[in-house]
Amino acid sequence: MNPSAKCEVLVIGTGIIGAMSALYLQNAGKSVTFLERGEIARGASSGNAGILAFPEIIPIPAPGIMRKAPRWLIDPLGPLSVPPAYALKIAPWLWRFRKASSPRRFRHGLNVQISMMALAAREMQNVAAMPELSHFISNTGTLDLYDTRASFDAAQKDWDEKERAGVAFSRVSRQDIEQLQPGLAPQFQNAIFTPGGLQVADPYEFTRAIVDLVIARGAVLRKGEASRIDTVGESTIVALTNGEKIDADKVVIACGAWSRPLATSVGNTVPLETERGYNTTLPSGSFDLTRQLYFNDHAFVVTPLSSGIRVGGAVELGGLDLPPNFRRSEALLKKASRFLPGLKTEGGRQWMGFRPSMPDCLPVIGRSRASSDVIYAFGHGHLGLTQSAATAKLVTQLIQGEDTAIPVDPFRASRFS
């Protein structure tokens, strides 16, 4: 075996998790090499809503959620769908999702997310203080909107949990809503306003700026797709699909929805699935949007980006290979035009991307079974951007052999074994 290159730390993936991990590793004095199979930062990281969702501590697999799932699943354009061609393949993942929704596991997941989000908020403050990146992050505040008083009241249990976790918010009436975001449909009479809601101006540009910064400081970018990882003595050899090999002291697997085969090659079978996320980005000026809007009864958001207005959300569990169903984007845009009557829906750019998701909605962060030199950093679902700096902190501490800022045991790859 004759590796074609040698490096100190190889980061596989240039999405927000890989980019942020490389930044932290470089700040810790490590020499970094990126390995990217496609375009830099053009995976799931490029199409998210740009929300730094630190208040979102409530696990999606919650008690009672499986009673709602059949109603969602019968609507192919609803907030959760499974294409018939993928139903059998996704069944084991859904079974684990159901188990994660038990009261005990829900409480465990909630406590883990509270710790993770607190770390994420602290670390992102440090990133936002960097002169090269500070202009990407702004405070817009967030409005969580509810169709009816009944749905507003039903959500109060979750908001009570957020309040206990230290999230600052206020319950607002229609008069307040008019001031905070004019132009909403009259059905929205009740909302929650979170004044500290943070927005990334453009998630692709933000991720790309981090990668460019790390490269400008001396990191190497290699193009290629990793097929497997082997440990040979004290060496970690990453084999590429083109036959080349990279010999790395440490490897960080941060390639999102494509991480499972690499984890399998180093001893961990992980139930990583793919949520196919859809959005439409409308031109700037399509609506006078001043802040992030969550339409909670419909599982989608509308956010202000420097590149336009993004309308996106909902979940399609359909894997990596099925063709996109852009009727989902169109359905979200149709709803948005009802809820924002002045919205101009012409000239939008549609997008579909793959969110890497675990059944308990916690990421995989930690050392591989086969080698302590291989570190996992994937499976963040909807929260990759939000938890990127916290993940980078933990990855760097693991590689440095330091105590981690929060326990990483809840994120271990073997937790489903």
Side-chain angles (χ1 to χ4, degrees), residues 19 24 38 53 76 80 102 111 122 126 142 148 258 321 384 386:
Y24 270 65
L80 172 63
S102 71
N111 291 334
R122 292 196 303 271
N126 297 331
T142 307
T148 66
W258 288 266
D321 300 322
T386 300

Side-chain angles (χ1 to χ4, degrees), residues 46-370:
S46 68
N48 68 60
I51 298 172
L52 292 173
F54 303 125
E56 298 306 308
I57 59 172
I58 308 299
I60 296 175
I65 193 163
M66 297 308 293
R67 291 195 296 272
K68 303 176 184 177
R71 184 173 74 252
W72 292 337
L73 291 171
I74 62 174
D75 180 1
L77 302 179
L80 172 63
S81 72
V82 177
Y86 203 70
L88 187 61
K89 191 169 184 179
I90 194 67
W93 189 95
L94 289 173
W95 175 250
R96 291 187 172 100
F97 179 88
R98 177 182 180 277
K99 290 176 68 176
S101 70
S102 71
R104 181 181 63 84
R105 293 194 180 188
F106 170 80
R107 178 56 55 178
H108 168 74
L110 175 64
N111 291 334
V112 173
Q113 289 288 28
I114 289 171
S115 297
M116 185 63 165
M117 289 300 197
L119 177 63
R122 292 196 303 271
E123 291 302 320
M124 192 60 78
Q125 283 184 336
N126 297 331
V127 174
M130 297 179 63
E132 301 91 342
L133 302 173
S134 60
H135 62 284
F136 284 103
I137 299 174
S138 62
N139 187 330
T140 63
T142 307
L143 264 179
D144 281 78
L145 297 152
Y146 298 87
D147 286 9
T148 66
R149 181 72 196 195
S151 63
F152 178 77
D153 290 341
Q156 296 314 300
K157 184 178 178 181
D158 288 349
W159 285 103
D160 289 343
E161 292 285 6
K162 294 179 183 182
E163 189 170 35
R164 283 190 285 270
V167 177
F169 61 87
S170 58
R171 296 169 174 85
V172 296
S173 65
R174 179 65 194 189
Q175 184 177 359
D176 300 313
I177 293 171
E178 288 281 7
Q179 293 179 346
L180 291 165
Q181 178 56 69
L184 285 162
Q187 73 196 69
F188 299 109
Q189 298 291 319
N190 301 279
I192 300 288
F193 177 55
T194 307
L198 297 178
Q199 177 73 36
V200 171
D202 185 281
Y204 165 71
E205 296 291 347
F206 180 59
T207 306
R208 182 65 196 246
I210 297 172
V211 174
D212 289 345
L213 176 61
V214 174
I215 291 174
R217 291 177 173 180
V220 174
L221 173 65
R222 289 199 57 175
K223 301 305 291 290
E225 182 175 0
S227 59
R228 64 175 290 109
I229 301 172
D230 295 296
T231 56
V232 181
E234 296 184 358
S235 296
T236 303
I237 309 298
V238 179
L240 309 188
T241 55
N242 64 4
E244 295 180 1
K245 294 181 173 66
I246 302 173
D247 183 351
D249 294 339
K250 307 284 184 181
V251 176
V252 179
I253 300 177
C255 43
W258 288 266
S259 299
R260 182 167 59 182
L262 296 180
T264 300
S265 72
V266 281
N268 291 105
T269 302
V270 292
L272 179 69
E273 259 301 338
T274 303
E275 298 178 25
R276 294 145 57 94
Y278 291 85
N279 71 46
T280 303
T281 304
L282 299 170
S284 298
S286 297
F287 190 83
D288 186 13
L289 187 65
T290 59
R291 61 189 77 254
Q292 304 162 353
L293 303 179
Y294 281 67
F295 293 97
N296 285 277
D297 295 333
H298 305 272
F300 78 97
V301 299
V302 180
T303 56
L305 304 181
S306 59
S307 54
I309 293 173
R310 184 156 289 172
V311 180
V315 171
E316 181 186 57
L317 296 167
L320 293 167
D321 300 322
L322 295 179
N325 176 12
F326 284 114
R327 289 187 303 154
R328 296 185 64 79
S329 297
E330 294 160 7
L332 291 176
L333 195 58
K334 188 175 181 179
K335 283 186 177 182
S337 67
R338 294 203 316 268
F339 301 157
L340 303 168
L343 181 68
K344 299 174 184 176
T345 59
E346 301 81 17
R349 303 186 312 275
Q350 293 181 326
W351 176 89
M352 188 274 283
F354 304 103
R355 304 185 188 115
S357 296
M358 301 296 290
D360 59 359
C361 293
L362 296 176
V364 177
I365 304 170
R367 297 182 176 91
S368 76
R369 181 180 179 183

